[in-house]
Amino acid sequence: DTGVSQDPRHKITKRGQNVTFRCDPISEHNRLYWYRQTLGQGPEFLTYFQNEAQLEKSRLLSDRFSAERPKGSFSTLEIQRTEQGDSAMYLCASSHTSVFRSYNEQFFGPGTRLTVL
Amino acid sequence: EDQVTQSPEALRLQEGESSSLNCSYTVSGLRGLFWYRQDPGKGPEFLFTLYSAGEEKEKERLKATLTKKESFLHITAPKPEDSATYLCAVRPLGGATNKLIFGTGTLLAVQP
């Protein structure tokens, strides 16, 4: 399967603990995005990378959140000192930059479901 | 502020009963409008991209259309396997942003 993969698929943690999620994009895609989705809502943008550079961050991304893409391939999203309000589905997507607009679609992974107790 | 509104929130159809889902948007400029399908507990699955008013795209029983203020997803003779949440998203033109702004989705249930 050459789609976007995410690990773990589910994570249950206690309030105050740190968690880290991993995303592996489609291999030829140079852009990688993180979104958060809560029940009954659409995905909300958190941040995106072009290669290893983090080019945009949402104001939703508090100081407790940090994302990296060290070699321009996989990415990690870390949440420090988790709070119950962090419970959500964390989605990763990837796309390929091109002057041809047909390549601007973002393809999503299966998501990581985080539950903070 | 850029905004996407989808209606209805939920729709129940009988198998074979055609209908349309609506996505209205307010953006400073549009670099693309996207439709996704999302099954419970899974990530969104890409369906269509539309770029300019008057554009149409089709895939099996689905057809997406675009005007200057809204998009429609037409479902012709739906089957139970079409049951899912359908999400609409826009990519604003302003600045260097590449983010998608999503609506809250329409939950479609097709009964046999």
Side-chain angles (χ1 to χ4, degrees):
Chain A
D1 189 340
T2 57
V4 178
S5 61
Q6 293 187 244
D7 183 71
R9 296 292 309 277
H10 303 275
K11 179 71 177 178
I12 299 174
T13 190
K14 294 182 178 179
R15 187 178 55 184
Q17 298 294 305
N18 299 342
V19 295
T20 299
F21 309 141
R22 176 181 170 125
C23 171
D24 287 88
I26 294 170
S27 59
E28 65 269 24
H29 285 184
N30 52 3
R31 284 185 176 169
L32 186 149
Y33 310 79
W34 285 99
Y35 290 82
R36 180 172 68 187
Q37 186 178 26
T38 54
L39 196 63
Q41 301 297 312
E44 293 178 294
F45 171 79
L46 293 178
T47 187
Y48 101 92
F49 294 83
Q50 181 161 319
N51 300 312
E52 65 276 8
Q54 189 174 17
L55 297 185
E56 188 175 0
K57 291 194 291 186
S58 164
R59 61 180 182 274
L60 293 175
L61 210 66
S62 76
D63 291 344
R64 298 185 296 105
F65 288 70
S66 62
E68 294 183 342
R69 195 183 182 197
K71 297 183 179 179
S73 56
F74 74 91
S75 175
T76 58
L77 177 68
E78 181 184 16
I79 308 174
Q80 297 182 326
R81 305 181 302 281
T82 53
E83 302 172 355
Q84 288 185 326
D86 297 332
S87 296
M89 174 79 89
Y90 289 84
L91 294 162
C92 176
S94 69
S95 70
H96 179 69
T97 57
S98 171
V99 296
F100 301 110
R101 60 190 186 186
S102 62
Y103 292 147
N104 288 332
E105 291 81 4
Q106 296 180 19
F107 296 90
F108 284 82
T112 294
R113 169 74 65 187
L114 173 66
T115 302
V116 182
L117 302 176
Chain B
E1 182 181 352
D2 300 326
Q3 193 169 358
V4 177
T5 303
Q6 291 188 247
S7 62
E9 290 185 3
L11 181 62
R12 180 171 294 182
L13 300 174
Q14 293 295 317
E15 185 172 2
E17 179 186 2
S18 301
S19 187
S20 296
L21 313 182
N22 177 263
C23 169
S24 61
Y25 60 91
T26 305
V27 291
S28 51
L30 186 68
R31 267 203 292 188
L33 184 141
F34 304 84
W35 282 97
Y36 287 85
R37 168 192 171 129
Q38 187 172 29
D39 292 304
K42 297 188 177 181
E45 174 190 349
F46 170 75
L47 293 173
F48 302 111
T49 309
L50 301 167
Y51 289 102
S52 55
E55 190 174 358
E56 297 183 353
K57 294 275 181 71
E58 285 190 67
K59 179 181 179 180
E60 297 180 350
R61 295 177 293 281
L62 300 177
K63 183 170 80 172
T65 61
L66 180 65
T67 72
K68 289 186 177 180
K69 294 186 176 181
E70 58 190 356
S71 176
F72 292 93
L73 184 65
H74 307 278
I75 304 176
T76 302
K79 298 182 178 181
E81 53 261 42
D82 294 323
S83 298
T85 296
Y86 290 85
L87 295 165
C88 171
V90 298
R91 187 176 169 194
L93 182 61
T97 185
N98 284 284
K99 68 182 179 185
L100 296 181
I101 299 172
F102 282 85
T104 55
T106 293
L107 177 60
L108 175 65
V110 182
Q111 296 181 316

